[in-house]
Short mmCIF file of all heavy atoms in Angstrom, two decimals:
data_model
loop_
_atom_site.label_atom_id
_atom_site.label_comp_id
_atom_site.label_asym_id
_atom_site.label_seq_id
_atom_site.Cartn_x
_atom_site.Cartn_y
_atom_site.Cartn_z
N ASN A 75 -11.83 9.98 -11.04
CA ASN A 75 -12.04 11.43 -11.03
C ASN A 75 -12.29 11.87 -9.59
O ASN A 75 -13.40 12.27 -9.23
CB ASN A 75 -13.23 11.80 -11.93
CG ASN A 75 -13.42 13.30 -12.03
OD1 ASN A 75 -12.46 14.08 -11.92
ND2 ASN A 75 -14.67 13.73 -12.20
N PRO A 76 -11.26 11.78 -8.75
CA PRO A 76 -11.47 12.03 -7.32
C PRO A 76 -11.92 13.46 -7.03
O PRO A 76 -11.41 14.42 -7.62
CB PRO A 76 -10.08 11.75 -6.72
CG PRO A 76 -9.12 11.92 -7.85
CD PRO A 76 -9.85 11.48 -9.07
N GLN A 77 -12.87 13.56 -6.14
CA GLN A 77 -13.38 14.85 -5.69
C GLN A 77 -12.87 15.12 -4.27
O GLN A 77 -12.77 14.19 -3.46
CB GLN A 77 -14.90 14.86 -5.71
CG GLN A 77 -15.51 14.52 -7.07
CD GLN A 77 -15.13 15.54 -8.14
OE1 GLN A 77 -15.36 16.73 -7.98
NE2 GLN A 77 -14.54 15.05 -9.23
N PHE A 78 -12.60 16.38 -3.98
CA PHE A 78 -12.00 16.72 -2.70
C PHE A 78 -12.81 17.79 -1.99
O PHE A 78 -13.57 18.55 -2.61
CB PHE A 78 -10.55 17.20 -2.90
CG PHE A 78 -9.63 16.10 -3.33
CD1 PHE A 78 -9.50 15.77 -4.67
CD2 PHE A 78 -8.92 15.36 -2.39
CE1 PHE A 78 -8.67 14.75 -5.09
CE2 PHE A 78 -8.08 14.32 -2.79
CZ PHE A 78 -7.96 14.01 -4.13
N GLU A 79 -12.65 17.82 -0.68
CA GLU A 79 -13.29 18.83 0.15
C GLU A 79 -12.29 19.36 1.15
O GLU A 79 -11.20 18.80 1.32
CB GLU A 79 -14.50 18.23 0.87
CG GLU A 79 -14.18 17.03 1.75
CD GLU A 79 -15.43 16.36 2.31
OE1 GLU A 79 -16.43 17.07 2.55
OE2 GLU A 79 -15.41 15.14 2.49
N VAL A 81 -10.60 20.47 4.82
CA VAL A 81 -10.46 19.82 6.12
C VAL A 81 -11.68 20.10 6.98
O VAL A 81 -12.20 19.20 7.66
CB VAL A 81 -9.16 20.30 6.80
CG1 VAL A 81 -9.17 19.94 8.28
CG2 VAL A 81 -7.94 19.70 6.11
N VAL A 94 -5.96 8.01 7.49
CA VAL A 94 -5.91 8.57 6.15
C VAL A 94 -4.49 8.41 5.59
O VAL A 94 -3.52 8.38 6.35
CB VAL A 94 -6.29 10.06 6.12
CG1 VAL A 94 -7.69 10.27 6.69
CG2 VAL A 94 -5.27 10.93 6.86
N ILE A 95 -4.38 8.28 4.28
CA ILE A 95 -3.08 8.35 3.63
C ILE A 95 -2.77 9.81 3.39
O ILE A 95 -3.51 10.51 2.69
CB ILE A 95 -3.07 7.58 2.30
CG1 ILE A 95 -3.39 6.09 2.53
CG2 ILE A 95 -1.72 7.71 1.60
CD1 ILE A 95 -3.51 5.29 1.25
N ALA A 96 -1.70 10.30 4.00
CA ALA A 96 -1.29 11.69 3.85
C ALA A 96 -0.24 11.79 2.76
O ALA A 96 0.77 11.09 2.79
CB ALA A 96 -0.74 12.22 5.17
N LEU A 97 -0.49 12.68 1.79
CA LEU A 97 0.40 12.83 0.65
C LEU A 97 0.60 14.31 0.38
O LEU A 97 -0.38 15.08 0.32
CB LEU A 97 -0.21 12.15 -0.58
CG LEU A 97 0.52 12.28 -1.91
CD1 LEU A 97 1.89 11.62 -1.84
CD2 LEU A 97 -0.32 11.67 -3.04
N GLU A 98 1.85 14.71 0.24
CA GLU A 98 2.16 16.11 -0.09
C GLU A 98 3.21 16.15 -1.18
O GLU A 98 4.28 15.55 -1.05
CB GLU A 98 2.66 16.85 1.16
CG GLU A 98 2.85 18.36 0.95
CD GLU A 98 4.24 18.71 0.43
OE1 GLU A 98 5.21 18.03 0.84
OE2 GLU A 98 4.35 19.63 -0.40
N ILE A 99 2.89 16.82 -2.29
CA ILE A 99 3.81 16.95 -3.41
C ILE A 99 3.79 18.40 -3.88
O ILE A 99 2.72 18.94 -4.20
CB ILE A 99 3.43 16.02 -4.59
CG1 ILE A 99 3.37 14.55 -4.15
CG2 ILE A 99 4.42 16.17 -5.73
CD1 ILE A 99 2.88 13.60 -5.23
N GLY A 101 3.91 21.15 -2.42
CA GLY A 101 3.02 22.03 -1.66
C GLY A 101 1.55 21.68 -1.73
O GLY A 101 0.72 22.33 -1.08
N ASP A 102 1.20 20.66 -2.48
CA ASP A 102 -0.19 20.20 -2.61
C ASP A 102 -0.38 19.04 -1.64
O ASP A 102 0.15 17.94 -1.86
CB ASP A 102 -0.45 19.77 -4.05
CG ASP A 102 -1.91 19.42 -4.33
OD1 ASP A 102 -2.70 19.39 -3.37
OD2 ASP A 102 -2.23 19.17 -5.51
N ALA A 103 -1.11 19.27 -0.55
CA ALA A 103 -1.30 18.26 0.49
C ALA A 103 -2.71 17.69 0.41
O ALA A 103 -3.70 18.45 0.39
CB ALA A 103 -1.05 18.87 1.87
N ARG A 104 -2.81 16.38 0.40
CA ARG A 104 -4.11 15.71 0.31
C ARG A 104 -4.17 14.51 1.25
O ARG A 104 -3.15 13.86 1.51
CB ARG A 104 -4.38 15.26 -1.12
CG ARG A 104 -4.28 16.39 -2.14
CD ARG A 104 -4.82 16.03 -3.48
NE ARG A 104 -4.60 17.12 -4.43
CZ ARG A 104 -5.10 17.19 -5.64
NH1 ARG A 104 -5.88 16.19 -6.08
NH2 ARG A 104 -4.85 18.20 -6.44
N ALA A 105 -5.36 14.24 1.72
CA ALA A 105 -5.61 13.08 2.58
C ALA A 105 -6.62 12.18 1.89
O ALA A 105 -7.64 12.65 1.36
CB ALA A 105 -6.14 13.53 3.94
N TYR A 106 -6.33 10.88 1.92
CA TYR A 106 -7.20 9.88 1.32
C TYR A 106 -7.69 8.95 2.43
O TYR A 106 -6.95 8.05 2.87
CB TYR A 106 -6.42 9.09 0.25
CG TYR A 106 -5.89 9.96 -0.86
CD1 TYR A 106 -4.70 10.68 -0.69
CD2 TYR A 106 -6.57 10.08 -2.06
CE1 TYR A 106 -4.21 11.49 -1.70
CE2 TYR A 106 -6.08 10.89 -3.09
CZ TYR A 106 -4.90 11.60 -2.89
OH TYR A 106 -4.41 12.41 -3.89
N PRO A 107 -8.90 9.17 2.94
CA PRO A 107 -9.39 8.34 4.04
C PRO A 107 -9.50 6.87 3.65
O PRO A 107 -10.03 6.54 2.58
CB PRO A 107 -10.78 8.94 4.33
CG PRO A 107 -10.74 10.34 3.77
CD PRO A 107 -9.85 10.23 2.57
N ASN A 118 -6.76 7.18 -8.89
CA ASN A 118 -5.89 7.78 -9.90
C ASN A 118 -6.05 9.29 -9.81
O ASN A 118 -7.14 9.82 -10.03
CB ASN A 118 -6.27 7.28 -11.30
CG ASN A 118 -5.98 5.81 -11.49
OD1 ASN A 118 -4.83 5.38 -11.52
ND2 ASN A 118 -7.04 5.00 -11.61
N ASP A 119 -4.96 9.98 -9.49
CA ASP A 119 -5.07 11.40 -9.18
C ASP A 119 -3.87 12.14 -9.77
O ASP A 119 -2.92 11.52 -10.28
CB ASP A 119 -5.13 11.58 -7.65
CG ASP A 119 -5.68 12.92 -7.23
OD1 ASP A 119 -6.11 13.70 -8.10
OD2 ASP A 119 -5.70 13.21 -6.02
N VAL A 120 -3.91 13.46 -9.71
CA VAL A 120 -2.78 14.30 -10.04
C VAL A 120 -2.56 15.24 -8.86
O VAL A 120 -3.45 16.02 -8.51
CB VAL A 120 -3.01 15.12 -11.33
CG1 VAL A 120 -1.81 16.03 -11.60
CG2 VAL A 120 -3.27 14.20 -12.51
N VAL A 121 -1.41 15.14 -8.23
CA VAL A 121 -1.11 15.92 -7.02
C VAL A 121 0.18 16.70 -7.26
O VAL A 121 1.21 16.11 -7.61
CB VAL A 121 -0.94 14.99 -5.79
CG1 VAL A 121 -0.67 15.82 -4.54
CG2 VAL A 121 -2.18 14.12 -5.60
N GLY A 122 0.12 18.02 -7.07
CA GLY A 122 1.29 18.84 -7.33
C GLY A 122 1.82 18.65 -8.74
O GLY A 122 3.04 18.64 -8.95
N ASP A 123 0.90 18.47 -9.70
CA ASP A 123 1.23 18.26 -11.12
C ASP A 123 1.86 16.91 -11.40
O ASP A 123 2.39 16.69 -12.50
CB ASP A 123 2.14 19.37 -11.65
CG ASP A 123 1.47 20.74 -11.65
OD1 ASP A 123 0.25 20.79 -11.89
OD2 ASP A 123 2.15 21.75 -11.40
N VAL A 124 1.84 16.01 -10.45
CA VAL A 124 2.40 14.66 -10.63
C VAL A 124 1.26 13.64 -10.69
O VAL A 124 0.47 13.55 -9.75
CB VAL A 124 3.37 14.30 -9.49
CG1 VAL A 124 3.88 12.87 -9.66
CG2 VAL A 124 4.54 15.28 -9.43
N VAL A 126 -0.46 10.37 -9.96
CA VAL A 126 -0.19 9.38 -8.94
C VAL A 126 -1.30 8.34 -8.88
O VAL A 126 -2.44 8.59 -9.29
CB VAL A 126 -0.04 10.02 -7.54
CG1 VAL A 126 1.13 11.01 -7.52
CG2 VAL A 126 -1.33 10.71 -7.10
N VAL A 128 -2.84 6.29 -5.80
CA VAL A 128 -2.89 6.10 -4.35
C VAL A 128 -3.58 4.78 -4.11
O VAL A 128 -4.75 4.62 -4.49
CB VAL A 128 -3.64 7.26 -3.67
CG1 VAL A 128 -3.64 7.08 -2.15
CG2 VAL A 128 -3.01 8.60 -4.04
N VAL A 139 1.82 4.71 -2.53
CA VAL A 139 1.57 5.68 -3.60
C VAL A 139 2.64 5.53 -4.67
O VAL A 139 3.84 5.42 -4.37
CB VAL A 139 1.56 7.13 -3.05
CG1 VAL A 139 1.33 8.13 -4.18
CG2 VAL A 139 0.49 7.28 -1.96
N SER A 194 6.74 9.02 -1.57
CA SER A 194 6.66 8.96 -0.11
C SER A 194 5.30 9.43 0.40
O SER A 194 4.78 10.47 -0.03
CB SER A 194 7.77 9.84 0.48
OG SER A 194 7.71 9.86 1.88
N SER A 195 4.73 8.66 1.29
CA SER A 195 3.45 8.99 1.92
C SER A 195 3.44 8.35 3.30
O SER A 195 4.35 7.61 3.66
CB SER A 195 2.27 8.48 1.08
OG SER A 195 2.29 7.06 1.02
N GLN A 196 2.41 8.61 4.09
CA GLN A 196 2.28 7.94 5.37
C GLN A 196 0.82 7.89 5.79
O GLN A 196 0.00 8.68 5.32
CB GLN A 196 3.11 8.64 6.45
CG GLN A 196 2.71 10.06 6.77
CD GLN A 196 3.74 10.78 7.61
OE1 GLN A 196 4.44 11.66 7.13
NE2 GLN A 196 3.84 10.42 8.89
N VAL A 198 -1.74 8.38 8.76
CA VAL A 198 -1.86 9.07 10.04
C VAL A 198 -3.34 9.23 10.37
O VAL A 198 -4.20 8.94 9.55
CB VAL A 198 -1.19 10.47 9.99
CG1 VAL A 198 0.30 10.36 9.74
CG2 VAL A 198 -1.86 11.35 8.93
N PHE A 200 -6.68 11.45 10.91
CA PHE A 200 -7.17 12.66 10.24
C PHE A 200 -6.86 13.91 11.06
O PHE A 200 -6.52 14.96 10.50
CB PHE A 200 -8.68 12.55 10.00
CG PHE A 200 -9.31 13.83 9.53
CD1 PHE A 200 -9.02 14.34 8.28
CD2 PHE A 200 -10.19 14.54 10.36
CE1 PHE A 200 -9.60 15.53 7.84
CE2 PHE A 200 -10.76 15.72 9.94
CZ PHE A 200 -10.47 16.21 8.68
N PHE A 203 -3.36 14.99 10.31
CA PHE A 203 -3.27 15.62 8.99
C PHE A 203 -3.83 17.04 9.05
O PHE A 203 -3.22 17.98 8.50
CB PHE A 203 -4.04 14.81 7.95
CG PHE A 203 -4.09 15.46 6.60
CD1 PHE A 203 -3.05 15.27 5.69
CD2 PHE A 203 -5.16 16.27 6.23
CE1 PHE A 203 -3.06 15.89 4.44
CE2 PHE A 203 -5.19 16.90 4.98
CZ PHE A 203 -4.14 16.70 4.09
N TYR A 207 -1.68 20.16 8.01
CA TYR A 207 -2.07 20.75 6.73
C TYR A 207 -3.49 21.32 6.82
O TYR A 207 -4.42 20.77 6.22
CB TYR A 207 -2.00 19.72 5.61
CG TYR A 207 -0.65 19.07 5.43
CD1 TYR A 207 -0.44 17.73 5.80
CD2 TYR A 207 0.41 19.77 4.87
CE1 TYR A 207 0.79 17.12 5.62
CE2 TYR A 207 1.65 19.16 4.69
CZ TYR A 207 1.83 17.85 5.06
OH TYR A 207 3.06 17.24 4.88
N ASP A 209 -4.88 23.67 5.43
CA ASP A 209 -5.42 24.06 4.14
C ASP A 209 -5.39 22.91 3.13
O ASP A 209 -5.64 23.12 1.93
CB ASP A 209 -4.61 25.24 3.57
CG ASP A 209 -4.73 26.49 4.44
OD1 ASP A 209 -5.82 26.72 4.98
OD2 ASP A 209 -3.71 27.20 4.58
N GLY A 210 -5.08 21.71 3.61
CA GLY A 210 -5.05 20.55 2.72
C GLY A 210 -6.44 20.15 2.27
O GLY A 210 -7.46 20.62 2.80
N MET A 211 -6.47 19.26 1.29
CA MET A 211 -7.73 18.78 0.76
C MET A 211 -7.91 17.30 1.11
O MET A 211 -6.94 16.56 1.26
CB MET A 211 -7.79 18.97 -0.76
CG MET A 211 -7.61 20.41 -1.20
SD MET A 211 -8.86 21.53 -0.49
CE MET A 211 -10.34 20.96 -1.36
N VAL A 212 -9.18 16.89 1.21
CA VAL A 212 -9.50 15.54 1.66
C VAL A 212 -10.40 14.87 0.62
O VAL A 212 -11.39 15.46 0.18
CB VAL A 212 -10.22 15.56 3.03
CG1 VAL A 212 -10.49 14.14 3.52
CG2 VAL A 212 -9.40 16.34 4.06
N LEU A 213 -10.05 13.65 0.24
CA LEU A 213 -10.89 12.88 -0.69
C LEU A 213 -12.29 12.75 -0.12
O LEU A 213 -12.47 12.31 1.02
CB LEU A 213 -10.28 11.49 -0.91
CG LEU A 213 -11.03 10.55 -1.85
CD1 LEU A 213 -10.99 11.06 -3.29
CD2 LEU A 213 -10.45 9.14 -1.75
N PHE A 346 5.38 13.82 11.30
CA PHE A 346 5.65 14.12 9.90
C PHE A 346 7.13 14.41 9.65
O PHE A 346 7.51 14.78 8.54
CB PHE A 346 4.80 15.31 9.45
CG PHE A 346 3.33 15.03 9.40
CD1 PHE A 346 2.53 15.32 10.49
CD2 PHE A 346 2.74 14.46 8.29
CE1 PHE A 346 1.16 15.06 10.46
CE2 PHE A 346 1.39 14.19 8.25
CZ PHE A 346 0.59 14.48 9.35
#
Side-chain angles (χ1 to χ4, degrees):
N75 184 30
Q77 304 297 304
F78 291 86
E79 58 187 328
V81 165
V94 302
I95 299 175
L97 176 64
E98 187 272 324
I99 303 175
D102 187 353
R104 305 192 184 189
Y106 300 82
N118 293 292
D119 199 5
V120 178
V121 182
D123 295 325
V124 177
V126 299
V128 182
V139 179
S194 178
S195 65
Q196 63 192 108
V198 297
F200 170 68
F203 176 85
Y207 302 108
D209 297 322
M211 302 302 291
V212 183
L213 180 68
F346 293 93

